[in-house]
Amino acid sequence: MKFPTPLIEGKLIKRYKRFLSDIQLPNGDVVVAHCPNTGSMKRCQQDGARVWLSKSNNLKRKLAYAWELVEVDEKYLACINTGYPNKLVGEAIANDVIKELSGYAEQKAEVKYGEKSRIDWLLTGEDGRKCYVEVKNVTLLEEGGRGYFPDAVTERGRKHLYELAKMVEEGHRAVMFFCVSHTGIDSVTPAAHIDEKYAKAFEEVIARGVEVLAYNVTINQNEMTVLARVPVLMPVFD
C-alpha cells in the first residue's frame, strides 16, 4: 500500500483531544494535524518524536495535515493511522500473501454480522463456505520485541471476540488477525496487564475454535506492505 501523497517529516509537540496533534515542520512552522487514532497510542506519542504527515489538497477538509507514522525509541517506525490496517490486510489477501486465507472466491469488506457489527473482511469460497476476518492494529511494544493488544481497555474489542466465536458455532470459519504496524515487534500477545477481561475472552474464544493470525508490516516513508507471519503468544496473568 502506497501512501496517497509524499509524506512530510516533522516533530511531535503534543497530541490532544484524541484527534488533534501539534507538529513542528522542518522550517519551524507548527501545524495542527489530524490524529487518525482513537486509542491510547501508548508509547507511540513520545515527546519530540520524529513523525511523518500527509497533506491533502482538498480545500473542504478542516485540517490539511494528517499524522501517519511515528518513530518510536528513535529506531522503530509505527503506523498510527488505524484506517490503514484493514486496507493492508485486504490487499495482502487479494494478492495471496496470507496463505492461511487463500483459496476464497469472493472477498468483501465491512459486511454486517453479529449484533450491529461489521466484519472487516468476509471471504466466501466457491462452495459457499465463509471465513470472517476481524483485523486489529498492534503498535504497543514493550519488553523483548513483544507487541500487546489492546493498548487500553476495550469493551468493543471483547465484543468482537465473542461475535467471532458465534460465527464458529454457526459452522463458519472465524479469524482474529493482528496487523503488526510496528517494526520493532516480533511477537504478539493479549495485554492482560491492561485489559484482563479481553485477555480472558481471548483464551475462551480460542478454545471455542476462533483462529488467530499475526503478520508484521514493512514500513517506510513511501509505502507499507504485509510481510510475514509472527508468533501469537497466549496471555500471561499476574
Side-chain angles (χ1 to χ4, degrees):
M1 186 203 81
K2 293 186 179 297
F3 291 107
T5 61
L7 298 189
I8 302 166
E9 185 176 335
K11 181 173 75 172
L12 177 64
I13 298 175
K14 63 178 179 179
R15 176 201 183 200
Y16 54 100
K17 295 182 180 178
R18 293 174 71 190
F19 297 107
L20 300 176
S21 57
D22 288 344
I23 309 291
Q24 185 179 46
L25 301 180
N27 64 3
D29 291 346
V30 175
V31 298
V32 179
H34 173 58
C35 178
N37 191 312
T38 61
S40 75
M41 287 178 54
K42 185 177 180 182
R43 300 202 73 245
C44 284
Q45 49 181 339
Q46 298 164 338
D47 292 343
R50 288 205 301 169
V51 298
W52 285 265
L53 312 174
S54 59
K55 185 178 182 181
S56 172
N57 294 321
N58 184 353
L59 298 179
K60 294 182 179 180
R61 278 185 48 158
K62 186 175 180 180
L63 298 174
Y65 293 92
W67 180 7
E68 308 287 6
L69 306 178
V70 62
E71 185 179 64
V72 181
D73 298 336
E74 299 184 346
K75 55 183 175 179
Y76 305 120
L77 285 180
C79 175
I80 63 93
N81 188 332
T82 55
Y84 288 147
N86 286 4
K87 183 177 180 180
L88 273 168
V89 173
E91 287 184 357
I93 293 172
N95 293 328
D96 207 27
V97 173
I98 303 167
K99 300 303 180 183
E100 298 87 352
L101 299 178
S102 64
Y104 290 91
E106 185 178 62
Q107 176 180 344
K108 289 185 178 180
E110 298 293 321
V111 177
K112 291 182 180 179
Y113 86 120
E115 298 180 7
K116 299 180 180 180
S117 294
R118 290 179 181 272
I119 194 67
D120 293 317
W121 292 102
L122 176 60
L123 311 179
T124 305
E126 291 182 355
D127 58 358
R129 62 196 175 98
K130 296 184 183 299
C131 178
Y132 291 79
V133 183
E134 180 72 27
V135 179
K136 298 298 184 187
N137 193 40
V138 181
T139 58
L140 174 56
L141 171 67
E142 293 196 351
E143 74 285 346
R146 187 168 299 177
Y148 289 87
F149 183 88
D151 63 4
V153 174
T154 173
E155 291 295 329
R156 184 168 177 265
R158 188 156 57 100
K159 174 189 173 186
H160 289 160
L161 288 174
Y162 287 123
E163 287 177 331
L164 290 175
K166 184 68 164 52
M167 295 301 100
V168 173
E169 290 171 2
E170 292 181 6
H172 308 299
R173 187 182 177 198
V175 177
M176 172 58 65
F177 192 104
F178 291 119
C179 182
V180 182
S181 305
H182 188 305
T183 60
I185 292 174
D186 55 27
S187 65
V188 177
T189 190
H193 61 300
I194 293 175
D195 190 342
E196 184 174 348
K197 288 183 177 180
Y198 180 90
K200 288 182 175 179
F202 180 90
E203 281 193 324
E204 179 185 340
V205 302
I206 296 305
R208 290 167 61 182
V210 174
E211 301 171 46
V212 183
L213 294 173
Y215 270 68
N216 60 8
V217 175
T218 60
I219 304 174
N220 59 48
Q221 289 76 39
N222 298 310
E223 61 184 356
M224 299 193 299
T225 307
V226 172
L227 182 61
R229 189 172 180 177
V230 298
V232 178
L233 309 176
M234 296 303 289
V236 176
F237 299 94
D238 293 334

